[in-house]
Amino acid sequence: MNLRWYHFAAWGALIAAMLLMPRLVDLGLMGRGTLRTMIQACYLAMFAISWDVLSGRTGYISFGHPFLIGIGAYGTAILSKKFGVPVELSIPLAVLITMIGGLVVLLPALRIKGSYFALVTLAFMELMYQLVQVIRPDLTGGTRGLSGIKTLTRGAENGYMLAVSLMLAVALGCWLLMRTRFGTALWALGQNEEAVSGSGLSTIRLKAMAFLVSAFVAGLAGAFLVHYNGSLAPRAMFDINSVFTIIVAALIGGAGTILGPVLGAFFLTFLLEWLRPFLPGAERFLVYGAVALVLYMYQPKGIYAIIEGGLKRLWGRA
Amino acid sequence: MSARLQVSNLVKRFGGLTATNDMSFTVEPGESVGLIGPNGAGKTTIFSQIMGEHRQTSGQIHMGEQEISALSTPARIRRGVSRTYQVPRPFPEITVAENIRVGLMPDSVWQMVTRGADRDRERELALAVGFAEADLDRTPAELSMGDLRKLEMARTLATDPKVMLLDEVFAGLTVGEIATISALVQKLRDQGMTFLIVSHDLKALEPLIDRAIAIDRGTKIAEGAYSEVIADAGVRASYLGGGGDA
């Protein structure tokens, strides 16, 4: 895995900084609202990490990630609210069901790639959107969705601590995983699938593992998000804008780097939040699109590469 | 480290085109055989069928005693047959060392995750094909065609093959690079590696092979010592494109 001292230092600093954020609120340096925005950023970061594991490395671009997130969210919501399953059990079960959903997304990836694969995953999301409204609306809540779902935390600080701990654990876990030879194999898969097969590796198995890990993270984040919000609405869940937000977060952060998507998620969430007072409507997305485009043109490898380059220059000078 | 590669009555049809027509040949352990023929003769198609990248219409392929005709490409590689490609297929965004690492990986995700990379072996393979120490951290974008062919050889060797199929290993190389690759093949032959080599550069090919098989339009037209095969009237005609009576 080849870990160096600066990896430990960087992770240590990141974890300490994130966990100490609520103290800034105590000191009056930060509002509780900012903490709530950070909670949103943490969940977006997990979705972006999930997307990154599947699409950032292997090149199988998913346009239907809410399909997986939705399975996790609906899974635990229905189990806990309609069947009285305790949350401690409903969340792991929902994650398990999402992983089965990940294998469903794998099926088209066995035969098609590129834009065809992206379109099929988009179809999965639309299909899910229609299905939850039509099939057993008594369970899914139909068009209106579900509310009154058990929440796990009270208050911004507790919600933040839960979200940030989850996010850091997921980020660290995926980051370590991608530093193994498995991560290298996934990179290689995205660059030349035939050559991976020609090196004696089963590409189906590699893809299956990537999809399972991605689904695990999507299901986990989706399930915890629903128990934070306490409600679930299909229109918001299976929204093309949320797809784009996830992809843009991963891309402008730095696809394939795991940490990049986290940076991208925080950047995007705060950008949208800061724009809100000036542009309350959908115009915000225009600005966000423009910022993303400029950033992407400046450095296609994202914020991660910009920071990495800056640090290297500083290091070289010191 | 060697094994016998046997191709029996191999037929491959693409619609109405017969790309491989009842092809049979054997490569004995430790032997090096040249596969020659004009453009479009079906040499690469035979490689693709041996590797399982194209499924044969009929016929069998054996590695040693075992039939491999129905296996997947990775499974065939595990049985000890590996190939290079006419157009090198590196992973462009990862380093030379990481490219070789992919070839060295076991086909088990669990082992990929739990066991680290064998950097010594990566280095050893890179140096064996003629890379310098400093090349290990370069990416394929910075490499010349000769280096890309070396990388292709290194990644193929990393899969620990018993039989190596080399497809146009000299194409696009300078004289010096041809010498390097030739020396590498010779060294591996001395170590007992079995080869099946496709090349248009007959001059470079001749010293590397024990015998030759000439094919034209998917059909074997001659087999034997290189000098005999190349003197064969049918072989000369196929290269000159005279249709057999030139």
Side-chain angles (χ1 to χ4, degrees):
Chain A
M1 224 173 273
N2 209 17
L3 295 177
R4 301 279 179 78
W5 65 268
Y6 50 81
H7 290 134
F8 291 98
W11 273 103
L14 178 68
I15 292 170
M18 295 300 266
L19 294 182
L20 286 174
M21 276 306 164
R23 300 285 82 77
L24 293 181
V25 180
D26 296 344
L27 293 170
L29 296 171
M30 200 171 88
R32 244 167 246 289
T34 311
L35 219 48
R36 290 194 188 280
T37 308
M38 290 189 79
I39 296 174
Q40 296 300 331
C42 283
Y43 284 105
L44 177 60
M46 282 187 268
F47 297 148
I49 290 172
S50 164
W51 186 90
D52 198 30
V53 170
L54 192 154
S55 306
R57 292 236 163 190
T58 67
Y60 280 85
I61 306 298
S62 160
F63 263 54
H65 235 61
F67 169 76
L68 294 174
I69 299 164
I71 298 178
Y74 269 100
T76 184
I78 293 171
L79 283 171
S80 63
K81 190 175 159 68
K82 303 283 178 180
F83 295 100
V85 177
V87 177
E88 300 82 5
L89 197 62
S90 72
I91 292 179
L93 279 174
V95 172
L96 212 66
I97 302 169
T98 313
M99 289 170 81
I100 296 169
L103 292 179
V104 174
V105 185
L106 175 69
L107 291 178
L110 300 180
R111 295 204 67 99
I112 52 175
K113 50 178 88 169
S115 38
Y116 300 103
F117 176 76
L119 283 175
V120 171
T121 55
L122 187 62
F124 273 134
M125 181 181 84
E126 277 305 312
L127 191 71
M128 186 79 174
Y129 176 50
Q130 302 301 334
L131 283 181
V132 295
Q133 296 180 75
V134 179
I135 294 186
R136 298 293 302 268
D138 55 321
L139 287 181
T140 63
T143 319
R144 277 191 287 168
L146 294 164
S147 56
I149 301 162
K150 189 173 188 266
T151 51
L152 295 173
T153 53
R154 255 175 237 293
E157 181 173 342
N158 291 332
Y160 172 77
M161 287 312 263
L162 178 65
V164 85
S165 310
L166 262 179
M167 190 276 285
L168 288 171
V170 162
L172 183 59
C174 289
W175 183 79
L176 286 171
L177 188 65
M178 290 305 136
R179 286 188 70 82
T180 66
R181 292 192 290 175
F182 174 59
T184 309
L186 291 186
W187 263 134
L189 188 78
Q191 292 166 42
N192 194 335
E193 197 168 328
E194 285 79 22
V196 171
S197 172
S199 302
L201 304 180
S202 157
T203 54
I204 295 176
R205 198 175 306 160
L206 285 172
K207 275 187 261 182
M209 280 310 292
F211 282 46
L212 281 175
V213 173
S214 175
F216 173 84
V217 175
L220 190 75
F224 273 96
L225 179 60
V226 103
H227 286 295
Y228 167 71
N229 285 333
S231 62
L232 179 58
R235 186 64 276 172
M237 172 66 71
F238 304 109
D239 180 13
I240 190 74
N241 274 329
S242 66
V243 175
F244 287 136
T245 309
I246 293 168
I247 298 179
V248 171
L251 288 183
I252 66 169
T257 60
I258 303 296
L259 275 179
V262 176
L263 296 170
F266 275 81
F267 178 78
L268 268 191
T269 310
F270 276 91
L271 180 67
L272 285 178
E273 210 44 44
W274 282 330
L275 286 173
R276 196 189 292 272
F278 310 105
L279 300 166
E283 315 88 86
R284 277 187 300 157
F285 286 90
L286 209 66
V287 178
Y288 131 120
V291 170
L293 195 68
V294 170
L295 229 143
Y296 201 59
M297 281 167 68
Y298 172 67
Q299 175 50 278
K301 289 183 175 172
I303 303 172
Y304 183 84
I306 297 174
I307 293 178
E308 196 184 31
L311 284 177
K312 274 187 181 154
R313 266 200 298 278
L314 268 179
W315 201 251
R317 233 177 266 165
Chain B
M1 74 190 281
S2 270
R4 185 177 203 238
L5 173 70
Q6 189 177 12
V7 170
S8 321
N9 308 104
L10 202 64
V11 175
K12 176 71 189 173
R13 291 197 191 91
F14 292 107
L17 176 84
T18 305
T20 309
N21 186 10
D22 200 22
M23 183 70 60
S24 299
F25 61 85
T26 305
V27 184
E28 296 295 339
E31 196 185 23
S32 175
V33 174
L35 197 56
I36 63 173
N39 278 332
K43 306 179 294 281
T44 299
T45 308
I46 293 175
F47 273 22
S48 306
Q49 290 173 85
I50 295 174
M51 292 312 298
E53 293 153 352
H54 283 154
R55 218 30 84 87
Q56 70 277 9
T57 309
S58 65
Q60 293 96 38
I61 301 158
H62 284 83
M63 268 289 287
E65 294 304 307
Q66 194 174 18
E67 179 168 359
I68 59 168
S69 331
L71 301 178
S72 69
T73 303
R76 291 179 199 217
I77 292 171
R78 279 199 296 280
R79 300 292 189 289
V81 55
S82 206
R83 75 172 284 190
T84 68
Y85 293 88
Q86 201 166 345
V87 180
R89 297 178 168 184
F91 305 114
E93 288 167 34
I94 57 180
T95 64
V96 166
E98 286 169 323
N99 265 273
I100 298 171
R101 189 171 305 160
V102 175
L104 282 170
M105 283 182 200
D107 191 18
S108 145
V109 173
W110 177 250
Q111 285 185 32
M112 282 181 198
V113 172
T114 52
R115 290 200 203 144
D118 186 348
R119 283 165 209 278
D120 293 336
R121 181 83 181 120
E122 287 165 16
R123 195 175 149 271
E124 190 184 316
L125 282 165
L127 297 185
V129 299
F131 278 117
E133 193 89 34
D135 293 329
L136 282 167
D137 292 325
R138 294 166 74 194
T139 57
E142 307 167 66
L143 300 182
S144 67
M145 187 48 117
D147 283 345
L148 289 177
R149 295 233 182 264
K150 285 190 225 160
L151 181 57
E152 191 92 348
M153 289 285 275
R155 208 181 63 224
T156 308
L157 278 172
T159 63
D160 197 18
K162 298 184 177 83
V163 177
M164 283 178 87
L165 316 179
L166 308 183
D167 196 354
E168 294 291 359
V169 271
F170 302 119
L173 299 194
T174 63
V175 177
E177 287 169 338
I178 290 176
T180 311
I181 299 281
S182 292
L184 175 63
V185 174
Q186 284 295 10
K187 194 172 86 186
L188 290 167
R189 278 184 74 195
D190 292 342
Q191 292 166 3
M193 180 69 77
T194 308
F195 282 103
L196 183 60
I197 309 176
V198 162
S199 177
H200 265 109
D201 190 339
L202 298 178
K203 213 172 78 189
L205 180 66
E206 188 186 355
L208 300 180
I209 55 175
D210 299 309
R211 62 188 171 93
I213 296 168
I215 65 171
D216 188 23
R217 289 173 220 166
T219 310
K220 182 159 83 178
I221 54 174
E223 183 172 3
Y226 174 80
S227 53
E228 289 166 23
V229 169
I230 211 70
D232 184 277
V235 174
R236 300 188 80 87
S238 74
Y239 265 94
L240 295 171
D245 51 9

